[in-house]
Amino acid sequence: MGKVRLLREDGLRHDGRRPDELRPIRMQVGVLNKASGSALVEYGATKVLAAVHGPREIPQKHLLLPNRAILRCRYHMLTFSTHERKSPAPTRREIELSKVIREALEPVVMAEVFPRTAIDIFIEVINADGGTRTASVTAASLALADAGIPMRDLVVGVAVGKVDGVLVLDIDEVEDMYGEADMPIAVAPSIGLVTLLQLNGVLTREEFSEAIKLALKGAQVIYNIACETLKNRYLGIKVEE
Amino acid sequence: MSSKEARRVLVVPGEVICEGEFKVLSPNYIVKVDGKYIATAIGLAQINDDSRELSFIPLEGCYIPQVDDIVIGYVVDVGLTYWEVDIRAPFTATLYAVDFLGRPVNPAKEDLSSYLSTGDTVIARVEVFDRSRGPIITTKGKGLGKVIQGTIAEISPVKVARVIGKRGSMYQLLQGETGCDITVARNGRILINCPNKELEDILIMAILKIEREAHIPGLTDRIKEFIIREKVKRGLISGEGKAT
Amino acid sequence: MSVTPSAEITVPKLRSATILSMLKKGLRASGRGLTEFRPIEIVPGYVPNADGSALVRLGNTVVVAGVKLEVGSPYPDTPNEGALVVSAEFMPTASPTFEPGPPDENAIELARVIDRSLREIKAIDMEKLVIVPGRRVWVVYVDIYVLDHDGNLVDASSIAALAALMDTKLPKVEVDELGNVKVDRSSRSGPLQLRHKVVTVSVAKAENVLFVDPDIEEERVCETKLVIAVSDDGRIAGIQKSGLGALSVEEVMKATEIALNVSKDLLAIVEKSLTKPT
């Protein structure tokens, strides 16, 4: 199978984007009726739903902590979300991503406000086209805000890749599969903290530094969209006459 | 703007509210970082430049019990000497039989479900809540106990204050305009007893409207107009124009 | 589902206060420097029945890695390449808190981080693992067992995996006219071909201080860790932020610099252990 040409002659990517361009981003909050908080986030064709239940008691008392809430986080892909049908059983990748996403949210959630409870975060990937874990972090963050759970800041995620030697922002699946590096990152921009950082691929020290800068730029744009989405829920309410 | 008025601003988690030195009245929702006051939830930050106070009205959130809160709960489990009651908090509450009945019980001889069973509704007061275990509620007091009639409307607990209004103004308006008997519990449940079904429907719609528009100023007037319009629509009063 | 870990073993407050107050001054309770690893002992060929193996002691942490080569089918999209499978298990021997059972999220994360670091840098020359082009290749199974846990399981495992791969010798194979493959483990055809060597360096953060190779107590009090895989040619071959806390961008860059420097010494130690006369 021939390698896909990821960068065109004109320097644009296979889908026509500039190297520093995000895919179209859509966000909605409060999309589920029975969850304490929820959000639907789309990065291009990647579509992710996050639901928060809690803070609540759970029967497994031995898991609870006396001075803070525990976070329980599940990243799960629907079987038809990927090109090849994904088996319903949890894969090692989903287990790792559940951990990595939970750890991306732990530093901002003020869990000490709800001791002896669990805050459950369920993430369902409805359609996967690259950047699912970063869209998941953003969706989970919005869902937590929608549930009214106090947080030090919102956390948003974005991935930087390297295709044909060029660093590109918000890689899609094709760029992830055939590119040379995939660096997902999640940041809480107002408090300046990196809460998720992985690199799958190889970068030189200089490329890494450039990749971080590019990621932070993209993250700021996504963060602004997230804040606006939360506010519009209230500003957009028309007074019925 | 009168000097006693606080200014309000809609904020999201991580957003800077203001800088300087203020007294924070809602410590879970406002944190100070590097000299700036930051919001931790979506809501209205109230900044009073005169009294130098900051408070926060969250627009989303669950019910966190406070001692002396009046709550309306549903019995979810029956034990030997107590009932477990759902009060829409992260923890179920406990109502002891000795408290409800006013006398000790003998679990060997008495079945508690003959007094209160699963699905029954109670109005109670939060007596103890120290975070080391679930809240303990009491039905000792006027107006507290098992609820035998009425309808329960549920709204988000963070909107309860709006249903009561400044110095009870909204609450009095609702009671006055509908003639219904209303008990507003802190956990977002409202018990209503109305003279007829139409008034009950109007009241429930008004309550939900308050919940939706809680953050938009001028709510009290809008609700009054809404109730009057609905009463006219249903022929409960003649359509003699709007009230002044 | 991933759950916030309960403090199964609490570090007594007096002890954690000591560790943290010393770190604030740039010192460690054990007397080590901030960029200093504990003594490392590597025993290649530790498991005679494995095709390659190594036991590693990093301070009191003990890990054994074994390599087994099996004949298998190549992946459909890489018909002329061998395959690599990395797994890890935390044995109940290693800690009173480890229960028998399938790998938990920490073991899975460790295995996947090491797998990615080997795979992305193309440490193993996969093309040299072809037996019958398009049909039969060597599948390299790297299995890591943590036997004693005193902190920094990732780096100890990464060193063990690398040493085990460097210790690996391919069994002799015969392919008959029908394309059937016969493996003769009594005889070795040559070493596993490695194009690059790679190790991970774990940098922990506590009290705004960055330090490498946390022991178990330091791990329990630190806010978070950044695991950085570095190749023998000084490139970053993988990163994983692991743990409840967070880092500033500055700390991320500083940790990466530390890892790039320290990795050179680690790789030298591994090289030396494999060229020691037996």
Side-chain angles (χ1 to χ4, degrees):
Chain A
M1 178 162 153
K3 195 182 133 141
V4 170
R5 181 83 192 275
L6 294 169
L7 275 192
R8 309 188 320 207
E9 256 103 39
D10 55 4
L12 296 180
R13 292 145 81 173
H14 77 101
D15 61 354
R17 279 189 287 158
R18 287 187 327 268
D20 65 350
E21 200 178 330
L22 295 165
R23 288 173 286 181
I25 307 237
R26 283 194 64 208
M27 301 185 194
Q28 295 164 262
V29 281
V31 295
L32 297 174
N33 191 257
K34 294 287 182 287
S36 308
S38 59
L40 183 69
V41 169
E42 297 171 69
Y43 288 11
T46 289
K47 202 183 335 225
V48 166
L49 174 69
V52 167
H53 290 296
R56 58 182 177 177
E57 285 178 315
I58 52 171
Q60 304 94 321
K61 301 263 188 277
H62 61 278
L63 292 175
L64 297 174
L65 290 169
N67 54 350
R68 51 159 289 182
I70 57 170
L71 298 190
R72 300 197 301 176
C73 176
R74 188 182 84 142
Y75 166 95
H76 176 249
M77 301 183 88
L78 303 188
T79 54
F80 41 74
S81 64
T82 46
H83 289 296
E84 304 271 324
R85 180 179 182 271
K86 195 218 146 258
S87 137
T91 59
R92 287 162 64 88
R93 177 177 170 277
E94 285 169 309
I95 293 172
E96 183 196 355
L97 293 194
S98 298
K99 174 179 194 278
V100 154
I101 291 168
R102 177 179 58 76
E103 291 180 345
L105 300 165
E106 295 264 14
V108 294
V109 173
M110 291 172 58
E112 59 275 14
V113 176
F114 302 106
R116 311 195 127 265
T117 65
I119 297 172
D120 291 341
I121 304 150
F122 295 104
I123 295 158
E124 303 291 341
V125 178
I126 298 173
N127 198 63
D129 187 26
T132 60
R133 86 196 67 178
T134 49
S136 295
V137 171
T138 305
S141 193
L142 283 171
L144 287 164
D146 188 45
I149 291 170
M151 293 191 285
R152 296 181 180 88
D153 196 2
L154 292 174
V155 183
V156 292
V158 74
V160 166
K162 182 169 129 185
V163 298
D164 292 342
V166 175
L167 292 173
V168 294
L169 181 63
D170 185 23
I171 49 174
D172 61 19
E173 174 149 1
V174 167
E175 292 172 323
D176 187 1
M177 263 205 303
Y178 298 107
E180 297 112 66
D182 165 27
M183 187 183 86
I185 185 171
V187 291
S190 297
I191 53 177
L193 286 182
V194 173
T195 63
L196 182 158
L197 178 58
Q198 295 178 286
L199 169 64
N200 187 12
V202 186
L203 294 175
T204 63
R205 172 206 253 114
E206 293 75 27
E207 284 171 334
F208 177 63
S209 180
E210 284 308 306
I212 294 273
K213 287 201 190 87
L214 184 58
L216 292 175
K217 262 176 52 188
Q220 189 62 54
V221 174
I222 296 174
Y223 181 77
N224 294 341
I225 297 174
C227 293
E228 219 183 281
T229 303
L230 283 174
K231 286 193 179 175
N232 281 343
R233 195 125 184 273
Y234 290 92
L235 298 175
I237 292 178
K238 301 232 179 356
V239 169
E240 294 152 4
E241 284 314 322
Chain B
M1 184 176 83
S2 112
S3 63
K4 288 212 192 69
E5 284 289 320
R7 50 195 169 94
R8 280 184 183 180
V9 62
L10 177 66
V11 288
V12 293
E15 194 169 339
V16 177
I17 299 169
C18 62
E19 295 187 48
E21 279 302 316
F22 284 83
K23 178 157 180 254
V24 174
L25 301 177
S26 324
N28 287 336
Y29 293 113
I30 302 175
V31 292
K32 193 170 187 189
V33 179
D34 292 336
K36 301 195 192 122
Y37 292 97
I38 312 241
T40 65
I42 176 150
L44 298 169
Q46 289 200 132
I47 309 156
N48 193 319
D49 295 294
D50 296 314
S51 65
R52 303 302 286 179
E53 281 174 344
L54 288 179
S55 59
F56 195 88
I57 305 168
L59 290 169
E60 299 290 345
C62 64
Y63 169 60
I64 303 174
Q66 307 259 33
V67 171
D68 285 338
D69 277 354
I70 300 297
V71 293
I72 293 173
Y74 304 134
V75 176
V76 290
D77 202 2
V78 185
L80 290 177
T81 56
Y82 62 87
W83 295 273
E84 281 195 15
V85 182
D86 156 38
I87 57 170
R88 279 180 92 195
F91 320 89
T92 39
T94 305
L95 174 62
Y96 284 103
V98 64
D99 175 292
F100 181 74
L101 298 169
R103 57 165 177 85
V105 276
N106 185 345
K109 294 221 174 94
E110 299 176 80
D111 178 8
L112 287 194
S113 54
S114 55
Y115 303 109
L116 278 177
S117 59
T118 315
D120 277 341
T121 307
V122 293
I123 303 188
R125 190 171 54 81
V126 177
E127 195 169 47
V128 179
F129 182 46
D130 60 9
R131 303 257 166 134
S132 68
R133 49 175 176 173
I136 297 177
I137 56 177
T138 174
T139 49
K140 290 212 269 273
K142 184 158 178 270
L144 303 181
K146 184 172 174 180
V147 175
I148 13 182
Q149 65 172 49
T151 305
I152 307 254
E154 274 202 15
I155 59 166
S156 171
V158 296
K159 310 278 165 89
V160 164
R162 219 52 199 91
V163 173
I164 296 173
K166 234 188 283 213
R167 290 176 283 275
S169 53
M170 182 69 86
Y171 176 76
Q172 274 151 33
L173 170 72
L174 290 172
Q175 285 214 139
E177 290 294 329
T178 62
C180 298
D181 194 51
I182 308 172
T183 307
V184 181
R186 283 270 154 210
N187 59 340
R189 290 184 176 143
I190 303 167
L191 175 65
I192 58 184
N193 274 294
C194 294
N196 59 53
K197 186 79 174 54
E198 280 95 357
L199 286 169
E200 182 179 292
D201 290 344
I202 296 174
L203 177 55
I204 291 177
M205 284 168 66
I207 290 171
L208 293 177
K209 187 176 165 72
I210 295 170
E211 183 183 28
R212 261 193 326 271
E213 299 173 21
H215 58 290
I216 304 174
L219 187 60
T220 317
D221 291 333
R222 278 203 310 282
I223 292 295
K224 185 166 184 180
E225 282 165 24
F226 172 81
I227 295 177
I228 291 173
R229 252 199 331 274
E230 290 294 320
K231 277 156 87 169
V232 168
K233 249 202 257 174
R234 287 168 173 70
L236 297 172
I237 55 175
S238 66
E240 299 281 40
K242 294 187 179 182
T244 38
Chain C
M1 200 150 58
S2 176
V3 183
T4 305
S6 357
E8 346 96 337
I9 294 179
T10 356
V11 181
K13 285 217 179 85
L14 286 180
R15 181 89 185 124
S16 63
T18 307
I19 297 173
L20 291 170
S21 70
M22 289 187 74
L23 277 172
K24 269 206 279 245
K25 295 186 225 142
L27 303 165
R28 294 167 86 161
S30 57
R32 268 196 285 156
L34 296 177
T35 57
E36 198 182 325
F37 262 69
R38 287 168 287 179
I40 301 174
E41 191 197 330
I42 305 174
V43 184
Y46 188 70
V47 182
N49 280 343
D51 296 319
S53 63
L55 176 88
V56 169
R57 287 198 180 87
L58 171 56
N60 291 326
T61 292
V62 182
V63 170
V64 67
V67 175
K68 278 295 224 186
L69 295 160
E70 304 269 311
V71 178
S73 308
Y75 289 120
D77 45 350
T78 52
N80 294 308
E81 282 184 21
L84 170 68
V85 180
V86 180
S87 321
E89 271 189 62
F90 294 177
M91 306 314 282
T93 57
S95 166
T97 61
F98 291 165
E99 310 247 317
D104 75 345
E105 61 178 18
N106 294 299
I108 289 174
E109 183 186 32
L110 184 149
R112 288 174 60 87
V113 166
I114 293 176
D115 177 306
R116 289 194 291 258
S117 69
L118 292 167
R119 196 181 295 277
E120 296 299 328
I121 199 79
K122 297 190 183 27
I124 301 172
D125 193 339
M126 294 298 214
E127 282 161 22
K128 298 242 163 53
L129 296 176
V130 176
I131 302 171
V132 178
R135 295 213 309 117
R136 284 275 168 272
V137 298
W138 284 116
V139 179
V140 182
Y141 288 95
V142 179
D143 291 299
I144 299 162
Y145 292 97
V146 173
L147 300 177
D148 207 349
H149 178 18
D150 193 27
N152 200 6
L153 302 181
V154 183
D155 294 357
S157 301
S158 156
I159 292 169
L162 177 64
L165 286 168
M166 287 168 73
D167 179 60
T168 301
K169 311 226 177 355
L170 266 55
K172 264 217 159 91
V173 278
E174 271 171 29
V175 187
D176 67 19
E177 327 75 53
L178 301 168
N180 296 320
V181 179
K182 217 176 90 171
V183 179
D184 176 14
R185 275 179 212 277
S186 62
S187 193
R188 300 280 148 165
S189 66
L192 178 68
Q193 297 288 320
L194 296 177
R195 288 162 63 186
H196 284 289
K197 321 272 189 341
V198 62
V199 279
T200 61
V201 176
S202 295
V203 182
K205 167 185 160 171
E207 301 289 350
N208 297 318
V209 175
L210 298 172
F211 54 100
V212 303
D213 184 29
D215 62 32
I216 200 169
E217 282 186 324
E218 290 172 329
E219 238 173 38
R220 290 198 179 116
V221 304
C222 80
E223 289 165 44
T224 198
K225 275 195 309 186
L226 197 62
V227 179
I228 299 141
V230 185
S231 61
D232 48 359
D233 57 349
R235 286 182 294 161
I236 303 166
I239 298 181
Q240 181 92 346
K241 176 253 176 193
S242 182
L244 302 184
L247 302 123
S248 67
V249 176
E250 257 182 79
E251 286 167 336
V252 168
M253 302 315 295
K254 195 161 160 232
T256 313
E257 275 310 306
I258 293 172
L260 286 164
N261 285 330
V262 169
S263 60
K264 297 186 199 130
D265 297 327
L266 289 182
L267 287 165
I269 293 173
V270 178
E271 284 286 353
K272 192 152 165 242
S273 75
L274 277 127
T275 52
K276 258 204 308 241
T278 36

